Amino acid sequence: RAIRLFYLLESFPSLSAVLKCALSSSRALINISVLLLIVTITWLILGKQMFGGEFDNHADPGEQPRNNFNDWFNAAFSLMRITTADDWQELMFYMAGLKIRSALLAPLYCALFLLVSNFMLLSLFIAVIVENFELSDAERSARNRLSN
């Protein structure tokens, strides 16, 4: 039954080309994913050092946001919230109100992480996929020239 899927893919050459391109770019995409992981861990450590423990001292337990930097687990979810741009401004404004120095550091921290994680690394993902599509198109045109 699984072989039927391969026969189906062979009947659609454009779909087959897309899947071959995705498989050929998997090594580069894994490298970019590791780079994203390294950037996230770096920002996690930085956020834990700058804002860790401040959420307990500043607010009542009922007032404390769910996403904070008091422990590693919540810090990772806070960074995921910033990465997905899911109401990250609320977290940033809360972080900015923790200390006097946080008023400048929190917007800079959040904006830089959002910029690096979303825009730069997303551009790398797209560049790798587009480059592999161009290579596969060049290979197809070279094969067509050789066969003619």
Side-chain angles (χ1 to χ4, degrees):
R1 292 181 186 221
I3 297 174
R4 290 180 190 172
L5 180 65
F6 293 114
Y7 288 130
L8 181 67
L9 290 177
E10 288 178 3
S11 64
F12 297 108
S14 60
L15 181 62
S16 178
V18 168
L19 287 176
K20 285 178 185 175
C21 177
L23 289 175
S24 67
S25 63
S26 64
R27 181 175 292 188
L29 292 177
I30 289 172
N31 290 337
I32 294 172
S33 298
V34 169
L35 179 65
L36 178 62
L37 182 67
I38 290 170
V39 167
T40 302
I41 289 173
T42 303
W43 248 273
L44 182 87
I45 293 169
L46 187 64
K48 182 96 171 87
Q49 289 297 313
M50 289 192 316
F51 307 110
E54 295 297 323
F55 288 86
D56 290 334
N57 299 335
H58 185 266
D60 296 332
E63 198 178 306
Q64 180 176 343
R66 216 178 296 160
N67 296 94
N68 56 55
F69 288 88
N70 289 341
D71 58 21
W72 297 104
F73 188 73
N74 285 329
F77 275 113
S78 298
L79 287 180
M80 184 58 68
R81 183 176 178 181
I82 294 171
T83 301
T84 60
D86 178 35
D87 202 19
W88 64 276
Q89 301 93 345
E90 178 187 350
L91 179 64
M92 180 190 65
F93 289 138
Y94 193 84
M95 287 165 47
L98 293 175
K99 292 182 184 177
I100 300 285
R101 68 179 174 103
S102 296
L104 291 174
L105 290 178
L108 186 65
Y109 176 85
C110 292
L112 280 176
F113 183 70
L114 185 68
L115 182 78
V116 168
S117 67
N118 280 351
F119 301 120
M120 289 178 64
L121 293 174
L122 181 66
S123 296
L124 283 174
F125 271 108
I126 292 171
V128 165
I129 292 171
V130 167
E131 180 183 5
N132 281 329
F133 271 123
E134 289 175 358
L135 288 175
S136 67
D137 286 341
E139 287 174 3
R140 267 189 262 134
S141 63
R143 285 183 198 154
N144 287 341
R145 280 187 232 141
L146 291 175
S147 65
N148 291 333

